[in-house]
């Protein structure tokens, strides 16, 4: 961490978005994480994505659990709602918040410990319930806050800083999420914002459960040469399955002559997402081909990145259980409390 | 773009905008930092070494550093550099023991300096420690030149002037005051090894062709002559109604002096639009604060006399037209303006003049009667005769005269030692890491975001009637600290080591002013346009690394860097470091110890 507050001065020509805000208006306090932490890059990517989306900060709820990653919600969107929950319990808190107020944008930030260890059960149910949120897992394969033990996402091939092997197989969060019915599953690398920012924007726009598993190197405990989650390893083994271009609502899509196939997907807000596969044999909309492919990449030690899976149905929990159409705090009092006659009728129906 | 060559000292020097803009290249951030530490004596000595007259310049400098100040590009106003210099001079302790030693045994070379202004005094200061026998010849009874004659004492107290001039004369300079020079040949015949001409630009321009000029002569005074007469107490009063013609700093000094000599109404008139006035903004402000109206676009048309006395000045109203960047003043046709007055002060420019230099001495003059002087060596076409200050190329200001003096002194030394004048000593430079601990630097990066502090002024009711009462009171110690903390420490350089970078983006993410980028290399125009915030200020360089592992390069736009050090604090590998760049312009002789921290000055 740094000892000074970040100076208020900003570049006089800093661009403004459509709501008159600069990138810096989406910042939070200065990070207290280790210098060079991948999580700070993810924070910067979130700031960039929210700036580009022109999100009003007060319509966002940032949710987190416990861990280095979960601290980062303090480092962006200073003027948003937020909840820093008990370890691993962010999904259920978000579920409650989302059921009460479906009008907010839910952005969860968690880590590999918070998601794949203590919170795995919570994570699994949020996925299968298709909770409308973007769940970012800042995945560094290590418990940084408790001095560098293996986490559940650490690969078998990856040794710890002292050269010890990991005895267990790793949990691949993307595979788990696809299996459990997530609608939008992506993997990214904190060191590549060009890929990460469009994924965050798409994930925030996606209606349903969106997961981005961001490989985010821990510079202190897991950035050595025998780690598979180091800056160098991920750069050397990054296998991008597809590119994602976001097209604003009004603009017509012009297909670019990229290799592979380009698919256009309409997002819930009407904007378009152009998916171009880097290799023709990977179709992110088909789980039957995607999952074996992902398993193959993993076996080869490659880090598959990009949008790995997309369910175009875009249904969320509210659709599935038929809740009230708006946020509960906007339901008029007379509807919330329809009176004794209505109660009488309900009771009568149960007699 | 090619990888930036930071081994060339001019790269980092240019980042220190204030120092780069200062003709004498004073290490500004270094002395401001010392002021913040309360080390006024050390701050004074850094100034004294570079610009010789900290107390004088701290009040009167034209401050080329301030428009250059980076602070002016990130908020409204630059750091009050000039007024901080005065703080160092006002609060310094005893410096006598810090002065260079003057050898008792002279080196046998004799140098004559003609004119006792800032240029000649600088040459004397730089040559005396080397053992030269220096003779200063001046027609006025005291030294100081324009600093004494043309700058009124309510801006520059005589005591300050006497002290800083006296400090140099006390090195053992032979003075011949009150000696009017009528022949350069006579001086050369005295057998000096070198002669330096620092006679300034003492001739005020006139408006001889304006009708009525001759008839009204008794009440029309040339501005610089008037100021000199006031300084030497030959003139102690002026008419009740005064018109000042001219828009430069001399005009501003004239009008304020006239007010203090008892004039009831003083009006400044300028031919050009206000925006084109030559006077510094702050001098215009000072005049207007004293209630003096400044009428622009007024061109003098006629001096009206009655019974042999000046009665009024008639002005024609003008407007400016710009054709191909050249200004033309055109009469508007509006009715003429008549301003009744008793006296006129004319401050419409000044020039150097050399009626006393014989034209057969081998000193070439051009068609405008200006001497041909080498821009680097300051030597004329006659070996051993040097020019500097306003005498060389016409009116500038004190800090330029000082810069000329330093270079002329180097040339004179080389000339007297029979060495090549082109073989000039390089500046002394130093680049030292400021890292103290994980997030600790030996400079204070927690800068103030407050606006520029205003210098307190004396009560105008008293100041306007007293010629010698200084109007500006200077910052007190607390104000000086507040102002010093506005300095962005631009001399603390962000130094990037390519092969340590792991491209984690941490520096780019933290930079408060978005000046760090990791991007594909390109030609400069393309690179400038493609940055996070396009680099539109082409006067500021891009700092480009070599190729990094992913094939990208680091590009830093130096334009608005705050030198806050957050990039280096967030860097996990130490690829960024904050390093203090200290550049001291070469002098003929070493003046003070190289590093004040290594050789601390004795406490008071």
């Amino acid at each position: 961490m740094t000892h000074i507050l970040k100076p208020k001065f900003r570049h006089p020509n800093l661009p403004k978005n459509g709501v008159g805000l600069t990138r810096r208006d989406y910042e939070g306090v200065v990070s207290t994480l280790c210098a060079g932490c991948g999580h700070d890059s993810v924070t910067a990517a979130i700031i960039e994505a929210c700036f580009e989306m022109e999100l009003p900060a007060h319509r966002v709820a940032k949710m987190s659990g416990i861990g280095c990653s979960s601290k980062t919600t303090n480092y962006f969107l200073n003027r948003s709602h937020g909840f820093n929950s008990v370890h691993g319990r962010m999904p259920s808190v978000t579920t409650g918040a989302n059921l009460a107020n479906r009008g907010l944008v839910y952005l969860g930030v968690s880590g590999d410990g918070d998601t794949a260890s203590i919170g795995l059960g919570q994570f699994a149910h949020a996925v299968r319930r298709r909770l409308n949120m973007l769940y970012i897992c800042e995945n560094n394969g290590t418990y940084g806050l408790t001095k560098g033990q293996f986490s559940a996402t650490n690969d078998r091939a990856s040794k710890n800083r002292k050269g010890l092997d990991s005895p267990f197989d790793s949990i691949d969060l993307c595979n788990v999420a696809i299996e459990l019915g997530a609608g939008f599953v992506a993997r990214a690398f904190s060191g590549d914002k060009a890929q990460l920012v469009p994924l965050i924007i798409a994930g925030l726009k996606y209606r349903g459960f969106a997961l981005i598993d961001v490989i985010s190197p821990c510079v202190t405990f897991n950035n050595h040469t025998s780690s598979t989650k180091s800056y160098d390893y991920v750069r050397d083994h990054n296998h991008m399955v597809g590119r994602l271009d976001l097209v604003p609502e009004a603009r017509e899509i012009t297909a670019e002559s990229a290799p592979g196939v380009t698919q256009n997907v309409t997002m819930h807000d009407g904007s378009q997402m152009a998916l171009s596969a880097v290799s023709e044999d990977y179709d992110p909309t088909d789980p039957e081909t995607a999952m074996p492919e992902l398993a193959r990449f993993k076996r080869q030690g490659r880090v598959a990145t990009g949008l790995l899976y997309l369910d175009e149905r875009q249904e969320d929990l509210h659709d599935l259980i038929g809740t009230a159409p708006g946020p509960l705090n906007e339901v008029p009092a007379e509807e919330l409390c329809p009176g004794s006659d209505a109660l009488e009728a309900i009771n009568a129906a149960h007699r | 773009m090619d990888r930036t060559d930071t081994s060339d000292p001019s790269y980092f020097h240019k980042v220190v905008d204030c120092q780069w803009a200062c003709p004498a290249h004073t290490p500004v951030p270094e002395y401001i930092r010392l002021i913040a530490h309360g080390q006024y004596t050390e701050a004074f000595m850094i100034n004294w070494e570079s610009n010789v007259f900290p107390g004088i310049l701290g009040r009167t400098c034209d401050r080329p550093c301030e428009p250059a100040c980076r602070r002016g590009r990130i908020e409204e106003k630059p750091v009050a550099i000039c007024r901080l210099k005065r703080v160092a001079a006002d609060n310094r302790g005893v410096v006598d023991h810090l002065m260079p030693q003057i050898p008792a045994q002279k080196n046998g070379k004799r140098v004559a300096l003609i004119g006792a202004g800032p240029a000649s005094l600088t040459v004397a200061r730089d040559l005396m420690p080397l053992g030269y026998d220096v003779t200063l010849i001046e027609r006025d009874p005291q030294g100081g030149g324009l600093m004494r004659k043309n700058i009124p004492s309510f801006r520059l107290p005589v005591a300050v002037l006497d002290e800083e001039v006296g400090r140099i004369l006390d090195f053992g300079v032979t003075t011949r005051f009150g000696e009017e020079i009528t022949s350069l040949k006579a001086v050369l015949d005295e057998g000096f090894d070198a002669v330096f001409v620092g006679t300034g630009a003492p001739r005020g321009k006139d408006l001889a062709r304006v009708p009525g000029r001759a008839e009204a002569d008794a009440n029309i005074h040339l501005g610089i002559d008037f100021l000199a007469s006031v300084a030497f107490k030959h003139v102690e009063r002026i008419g009740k109604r005064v018109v000042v013609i001219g828009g430069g700093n001399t005009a501003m000094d004239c009008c304020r002096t006239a007010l203090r000599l008892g004039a009831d109404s003083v009006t400044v008139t300028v031919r050009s639009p206000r925006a084109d006035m030559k006077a510094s903004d702050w001098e215009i402000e000072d005049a207007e604060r004293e209630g003096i109206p400044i009428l622009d676009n007024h061109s003098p048309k006629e001096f009206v006399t009655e019974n042999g006395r000046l009665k009024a000045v008639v002005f024609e109203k003008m407007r400016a037209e710009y054709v191909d960047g050249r200004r033309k003043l055109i009469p508007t046709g509006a009715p003429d303006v008549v301003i009744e007055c008793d006296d006129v002060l004319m401050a419409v420019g000044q020039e150097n003049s050399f009626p006393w230099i014989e034209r057969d001495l081998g000193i070439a003059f051009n068609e405008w009667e200006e001497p041909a002087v080498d821009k680097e060596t300051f030597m004329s076409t006659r070996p051993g005769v040097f020019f500097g200050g306003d005498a060389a190329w016409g009116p500038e200001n004190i800090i330029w005269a000082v810069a000329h003096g330093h270079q002329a002194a180097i040339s004179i030394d080389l000339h007297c030692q029979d060495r090549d004048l082109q073989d000039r000593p390089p500046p002394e430079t130093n680049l030292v890491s400021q890292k103290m601990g994980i997030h600790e630097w030996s400079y204070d990066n927690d800068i103030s975001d407050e606006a520029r502090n205003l210098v307190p002024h004396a009560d105008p009711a008293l100041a306007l009637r007293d010629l010698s009462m200084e109007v500006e009171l200077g910052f007190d110690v607390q104000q000086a600290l507040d102002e010093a903390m506005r300095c962005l420490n631009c001399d603390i350089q962000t130094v990037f080591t390519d092969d340590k970078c792991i491209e984690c983006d941490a520096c780019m993410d933290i930079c408060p002013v978005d000046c760090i980028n990791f991007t594909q290399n390109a030609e400069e125009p393309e690179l400038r346009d493609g940055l996070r915030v396009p680099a539109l200020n082409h006067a500021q360089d891009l700092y480009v690394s070599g190729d990094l592992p992913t094939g990208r390069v680091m590009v830093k736009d130096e334009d608005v860097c705050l030198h806050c050090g957050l990039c280096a604090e967030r860097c996990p590998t130490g690829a960024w470091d904050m390093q203090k760049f200290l550049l001291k312009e070469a002098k003929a002789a070493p003046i003070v110890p190289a590093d004040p921290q290594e050789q601390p000055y004795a406490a008071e």
Side-chain angles (χ1 to χ4, degrees), chain A residues 154-172:
Chain A
N154 189 69
D155 295 315
R156 270 299 282 276
S158 184
K159 295 175 192 292
N160 79 357
R161 203 165 59 145
K162 290 185 174 155
L164 295 179
D165 287 318
S166 169
F168 307 118
D169 275 316
S170 62
I171 294 175
D172 184 322

Side-chain angles (χ1 to χ4, degrees), chain B residues 250-269:
Chain B
T250 304
M252 299 303 117
D253 285 338
C254 282
C255 66
R256 296 174 70 195
T257 300
L259 210 58
R260 285 161 173 79
L261 289 182
D264 288 335
S265 89
V266 180
T267 309
V268 175
T269 62

Side-chain angles (χ1 to χ4, degrees), chain A:
Chain A
M1 67 171 290
T2 172
H3 291 171
I4 65 166
L5 293 176
K6 187 167 176 173
K8 285 186 203 153
F9 294 119
R10 47 185 72 179
H11 197 297
N13 301 330
L14 200 58
K16 287 184 176 166
N17 63 12
V19 290
L21 299 176
T22 68
R23 217 181 271 138
R24 289 206 60 190
D25 295 316
Y26 290 88
E27 287 181 350
V29 302
V30 171
S31 166
T32 57
L33 297 172
C34 305
C37 180
H39 299 359
D40 287 334
S41 291
V42 181
T43 296
I46 292 171
I47 289 170
E48 184 68 37
C50 293
F51 166 76
E52 282 180 28
M53 288 174 78
E54 304 176 356
L55 274 183
H58 68 286
R59 301 305 296 160
V60 178
K62 33 180 204 178
M63 316 297 287
S64 65
I66 296 294
C68 295
S69 54
S70 292
K71 290 170 71 177
T72 65
T73 48
N74 199 23
Y75 310 148
F76 59 84
L77 297 185
N78 232 0
R79 287 151 197 270
S80 292
H81 306 280
F83 197 102
N84 195 204
S85 84
V86 181
H87 206 354
R89 269 59 186 166
M90 179 266 277
S92 40
V93 176
T94 310
T95 307
N98 191 318
L99 283 174
N101 188 345
R102 59 192 291 179
L104 300 181
V105 173
Y106 290 91
L107 170 59
V109 179
S110 181
D112 39 322
D114 200 55
T115 302
S117 294
I118 192 169
L120 189 59
Q122 295 256 324
F123 172 73
H125 289 282
V127 174
R128 67 181 274 276
R129 285 169 182 155
R130 301 188 185 208
L131 188 61
N132 185 16
M133 72 178 297
L134 170 61
Y135 192 114
I136 294 178
C137 178
E138 298 178 347
N139 185 351
N140 55 20
T142 190
Y143 295 152
L145 217 51
T146 55
K147 306 286 179 279
Q149 299 83 357
F150 290 124
S151 84
T153 62
N154 189 69
D155 295 315
R156 270 299 282 276
S158 184
K159 295 175 192 292
N160 79 357
R161 203 165 59 145
K162 290 185 174 155
L164 295 179
D165 287 318
S166 169
F168 307 118
D169 275 316
S170 62
I171 294 175
D172 184 322
L173 288 172
C174 291
N175 267 337
V176 170
I178 297 170
E179 179 72 38
L180 291 172
F184 178 107
V185 178
R187 184 174 288 123
F189 170 45
S190 69
D192 185 358
K193 287 201 194 71
Q195 182 190 41
L196 179 54
V197 172
L199 284 174
I200 293 175
I201 294 174
L204 285 169
K205 288 184 173 191
Y206 184 81
R207 182 177 164 102
F209 190 89
L211 169 73
I212 307 177
D213 177 30
V214 187
I215 310 301
S216 171
C218 171
V219 282
T220 304
F221 294 108
N222 208 6
N223 195 36
H224 42 275
T225 47
S226 54
S227 161
T228 58
K229 290 199 165 45
S230 67
Y231 281 106
D232 286 345
Y233 184 91
V234 181
R235 285 210 172 98
D236 290 345
H237 297 81
N238 192 338
H239 177 80
M240 206 183 285
V241 300
R243 268 202 321 278
L244 181 67
D245 295 306
L246 294 157
V247 187
E249 200 173 350
R251 219 173 67 198
E252 198 184 339
I253 297 163
T254 49
E256 286 181 27
S257 56
V261 190
T262 299
Q263 279 179 286
N264 297 319
V265 177
T266 305
M267 302 302 286
H268 194 71
D269 65 355
S271 59
Q272 297 277 328
M273 187 166 77
L275 272 173
S276 43
V278 170
S279 56
E280 285 182 28
D281 48 4
Y282 192 90
D283 180 4
T285 59
D286 178 4
E288 293 192 6
T289 61
M291 287 189 66
E293 278 290 290
L294 289 176
R296 191 165 62 86
F297 294 140
K298 191 180 172 187
R299 274 198 309 279
Q300 293 166 346
R302 290 197 276 178
V303 183
T305 60
L307 182 53
L308 304 180
Y309 175 66
L310 181 74
D311 180 348
E312 294 179 78
R313 282 179 298 173
Q314 303 204 37
E315 284 176 334
D316 82 335
L317 177 58
H318 291 280
D319 302 325
L320 298 179
I321 62 175
T323 58
L328 298 188
N329 60 7
E330 287 172 18
V331 179
E334 57 273 20
E335 269 182 48
L336 265 184
C337 183
S340 50
D341 291 349
L343 181 64
E344 204 54 50
I346 291 169
N347 285 339
H350 290 289
R351 283 198 180 97

Side-chain angles (χ1 to χ4, degrees), chain A residues 1-15 23-24 27 30-37 40-42 44 48 190-193 219 223 231-232 235, chain B residues 71 73-75 439-440 445-449 488 502-506 508-514 532-534 536 550 552 557 559-560 562 564 566 569-572:
Chain A
M1 67 171 290
T2 172
H3 291 171
I4 65 166
L5 293 176
K6 187 167 176 173
K8 285 186 203 153
F9 294 119
R10 47 185 72 179
H11 197 297
N13 301 330
L14 200 58
R23 217 181 271 138
R24 289 206 60 190
E27 287 181 350
V30 171
S31 166
T32 57
L33 297 172
C34 305
C37 180
D40 287 334
S41 291
V42 181
E48 184 68 37
S190 69
D192 185 358
K193 287 201 194 71
V219 282
N223 195 36
Y231 281 106
D232 286 345
R235 285 210 172 98
Chain B
R71 182 94 184 189
R73 300 201 290 276
I74 56 160
E75 61 144 340
H439 298 114
E440 268 179 297
N445 57 346
D446 197 8
I447 50 156
S448 154
D449 51 15
L488 300 177
I502 58 168
E503 298 177 69
C504 67
D505 288 357
M508 179 174 88
D509 296 339
I510 192 74
C511 178
V513 283
D514 292 84
R532 279 160 74 79
V533 181
L536 305 177
T550 62
R552 298 180 299 174
D557 177 11
D559 186 18
V560 291
L562 302 176
C564 61
L566 288 178
E569 291 195 15
R570 299 303 298 165
C571 180

